[in-house]
Amino acid sequence: MSVTKKRKLNGESSISPLSTKDASPATESTPQNGQKSFADLGVMDSLCEACESLGYKNPTPIQAEAIPVALEGRDLIGVAETGSGKTAAFALPILQALLNHKGNLAFFALVLAPTRELAYQISQQFEALGSLISVKCAVLVGGIEMMPQSVALGKKPHIVVATPGRLMDHLEKTKGFSLRNLQYLVMDEADRLLDLDFGPQLDKLFKILPREHRHTYLFSATMSSKVENLQRASLRNPAKVSISSNEHQTVKTLLQSYIFLPLKHKDVYLVHMLTDLTGHSTIVFTRTVVEAQRIALLLRTLGLSAIPLHGQLSQSARLGALSKFRTKGRDVLVATDVAARGLDIPSVDAVINYDLPPDSKTYVHRVGRTARAGKSGKAVSLVSQYDVEVWLRIENALGKKLSEEPDMKEEAMMLKERVDEAQRVAMRELRSMQEGKGRKGGGLRQRHGGKRARDEMDREEG
């Protein structure tokens, strides 16, 4: 493919019309394997080139269905399983429209996301796909100071990615920030936006945003009655693209199983499994923040490379933990359900449900962190004598019985003495952190009691 000349988008004024070659869709032939290419969908040369540079060889099913509809100018509802490539499905049409637009390019598109991590991830993907045209993005999320975000808005970015609460803060308080010229609105993970009670902020936002000439995309893993009400309030005659008709569907390349064990031996079994998985990236899901922190300390005490991720960490610590796990600086991410939705961590080999999730929908999103984009993966759930009813409900929702792991009690219990000692060390460290919280308050960075714990956690999470 020929090298495309890099163009810079001007946030203050319109850009000159593209040449005929750049403005028209690329015209590469369909690959011999029968799969469509991005060019076949109507994506222009420069964006096809960006896809190729990022390793996107062929569109995923949601991309193949959604992109042509979006390029026609229709409002769009996209329903697809987690890890299906939804971000590029809305980012590419918006970037193509940005290139072809002849008016003001500042605040061209707004993307709403339910979590801070997902907002940063969406922004990074927009910038990567739009690298050849110098796309500028601003991220507006809570947990950090508003002033740097206000400065970023003052530079008139093309794309704003935000959580609803912080977006409303800026619309009410940041001088000169307005979305009256907005051309595109995207609500990503819409079901999660509503689960997190962002409904009131969304209602206020719809009263402010321009209705005319606005294209709206709603993407969700499931279609609940709340999402349908949101659709009626914000979209006009939308086209619906659904890749997964079953909200409890998991991908075929995912191997799922469970271990039935006594509650008192969960730590021993977990350590045995993670020892066998040494060198493989694994996410361990827990129900609570305290348990995530305790298990991370336990695993570190035993020499396993683990790092925690939960909602009580500072934003910089959360991003730092994700970065270390993505770059394989740490093998094990011990997380609450803050990591269950939306995050794109390309190479997760296994997911372990240390604590079972509260419902089947959360189970699907947790195990969807592995076996992404056609790759294989493994998900194992630890089921104690107190979890049987919850596990049976999950299996019923999945529509199948999952296989039980071979008996590993004998091998696992050989580790019991070491794990018992590590549990005592982890609990001492955890109590020190909690005492620090009582004295100082604030984020986990302020909770570390002893100097050794404080120094280690600062290194790991920074």
Side-chain angles (χ1 to χ4, degrees):
M1 182 178 288
S2 61
V3 176
T4 302
K5 184 178 179 181
K6 187 171 181 177
R7 294 180 296 276
K8 187 171 183 179
L9 296 173
N10 185 335
E12 299 284 356
S13 60
S14 64
I15 56 175
S16 58
L18 303 173
S19 67
T20 303
K21 178 181 182 298
D22 286 329
S24 60
T27 55
E28 296 180 4
S29 60
T30 303
Q32 291 182 357
N33 61 11
Q35 284 186 291
K36 288 186 177 181
S37 67
F38 286 100
D40 294 325
L41 303 182
V43 178
M44 62 175 54
D45 280 344
S46 57
L47 296 177
C48 286
E49 198 167 315
C51 290
E52 185 177 333
S53 68
L54 293 171
Y56 300 169
K57 296 181 179 179
N58 299 109
T60 65
I62 186 64
Q63 292 164 3
E65 296 293 329
I67 289 174
V69 174
L71 291 177
E72 291 174 2
R74 296 282 303 277
D75 280 7
L76 178 65
I77 300 169
V79 182
E81 63 199 17
T82 185
S84 59
K86 293 192 291 272
T87 304
F90 61 75
L92 288 168
I94 289 174
L95 291 170
Q96 186 148 320
L98 183 64
L99 275 166
N100 288 325
H101 191 66
K102 298 181 181 179
N104 189 348
L105 300 179
F107 308 122
F108 186 79
L110 167 67
V111 183
L112 296 175
T115 65
R116 305 168 190 175
E117 289 78 16
L118 182 56
Y120 279 105
Q121 182 177 293
I122 291 169
S123 173
Q124 290 164 1
Q125 192 153 3
F126 262 102
E127 290 177 343
L129 289 169
S131 59
L132 292 173
I133 53 176
S134 301
V135 164
K136 292 189 296 184
C137 294
V139 179
L140 311 180
V141 296
I144 56 178
E145 294 293 329
M146 286 183 63
M147 184 55 68
Q149 297 174 357
S150 298
V151 171
L153 291 174
K155 296 178 181 178
K156 309 295 184 185
H158 309 110
I159 314 293
V160 175
V161 187
T163 51
R166 181 49 64 93
L167 175 67
M168 291 306 304
D169 288 342
H170 280 286
L171 285 170
E172 293 169 356
K173 299 173 184 177
T174 299
K175 186 177 180 180
F177 175 46
S178 168
L179 294 173
R180 61 180 176 271
N181 294 319
L182 187 73
Q183 301 293 313
Y184 284 83
L185 169 65
V186 180
M187 289 170 283
D188 195 18
E189 300 283 357
D191 50 349
R192 186 67 171 150
L193 282 170
L194 296 171
D195 287 345
L196 293 175
D197 295 327
F198 284 125
Q201 289 99 326
L202 293 174
D203 290 339
K204 290 174 67 176
L205 187 61
F206 293 145
K207 294 176 182 177
I208 297 171
L209 295 180
R211 184 82 172 171
E212 296 297 321
H213 311 299
R214 188 191 82 205
H215 303 281
T216 305
Y217 302 152
L218 186 153
F219 280 82
S220 182
T222 61
M223 282 299 291
S224 64
S225 58
K226 286 183 178 180
V227 175
E228 289 175 352
N229 290 335
L230 181 61
Q231 162 207 325
R232 287 192 287 270
S234 57
L235 282 76
R236 292 180 296 181
N237 189 29
K240 183 175 180 180
V241 174
S242 181
I243 300 303
S244 172
S245 58
N246 179 2
E247 67 181 57
H248 300 107
Q249 180 179 330
T250 54
V251 296
K252 295 178 181 178
T253 54
L254 174 64
L255 180 63
Q256 302 173 78
S257 60
Y258 70 95
I259 300 173
F260 187 65
L261 46 70
L263 177 65
K264 62 182 179 180
H265 295 326
K266 279 178 77 173
D267 286 355
V268 176
Y269 277 72
L270 175 68
V271 171
H272 172 64
M273 292 173 62
L274 290 174
T275 302
D276 283 349
L277 287 167
T278 298
H280 296 274
S281 58
T282 305
I283 300 180
V284 177
F285 280 105
T286 68
R287 186 176 296 118
T288 67
V289 168
V290 171
E291 200 69 330
Q293 198 66 43
R294 183 191 71 81
I295 290 173
L297 290 168
L298 169 73
L299 297 177
R300 286 177 182 170
T301 303
L302 291 165
L304 294 168
S305 177
I307 193 164
L309 176 66
H310 52 72
Q312 289 188 17
L313 292 172
S314 69
Q315 185 61 27
S316 61
R318 288 163 73 172
L319 293 173
L322 277 173
S323 176
K324 280 183 168 58
F325 186 64
R326 280 195 180 107
T327 58
K328 302 187 183 299
R330 298 293 178 270
D331 288 341
V332 183
L333 185 71
V334 186
T336 59
D337 284 322
V338 73
R341 289 288 294 267
L343 298 183
D344 183 18
I345 306 170
S347 56
V348 177
D349 299 312
V351 166
I352 298 175
N353 286 310
Y354 178 87
D355 294 319
L356 288 186
D359 52 62
S360 54
K361 186 167 75 170
T362 304
Y363 173 86
V364 171
H365 289 300
R366 282 186 182 184
V367 301
R369 298 304 93 206
T370 187
R372 296 170 73 85
K375 297 179 181 177
S376 61
K378 182 176 183 178
V380 182
S381 298
L382 306 188
V383 182
S384 78
Q385 65 270 36
Y386 305 107
D387 299 322
V388 174
E389 184 178 347
V390 174
W391 181 246
L392 290 175
R393 286 203 303 268
I394 290 172
E395 286 189 323
N396 184 61
L398 294 173
K400 58 184 175 182
K401 290 286 184 181
L402 300 184
S403 60
E404 185 173 1
E405 285 284 314
D407 182 29
M408 61 180 72
K409 180 178 180 180
E410 185 175 343
E411 297 93 332
M413 296 308 292
M414 292 176 65
L415 300 169
K416 186 176 185 306
E417 187 174 337
R418 288 183 59 211
V419 173
D420 286 348
E421 176 58 30
Q423 286 174 328
R424 290 189 283 271
V425 173
M427 287 306 298
R428 284 199 299 270
E429 298 284 9
L430 190 61
R431 280 194 292 270
S432 294
M433 294 165 66
Q434 291 170 335
E435 288 167 4
K437 175 184 177 182
R439 289 194 302 271
K440 298 182 180 180
L444 276 174
R445 284 184 164 286
Q446 297 174 310
R447 300 175 194 173
H448 310 143
K451 183 177 186 302
R452 183 172 68 84
R454 181 171 59 252
D455 290 347
E456 180 182 352
M457 296 296 285
D458 282 345
R459 286 196 303 273
E460 297 288 354
E461 294 166 5

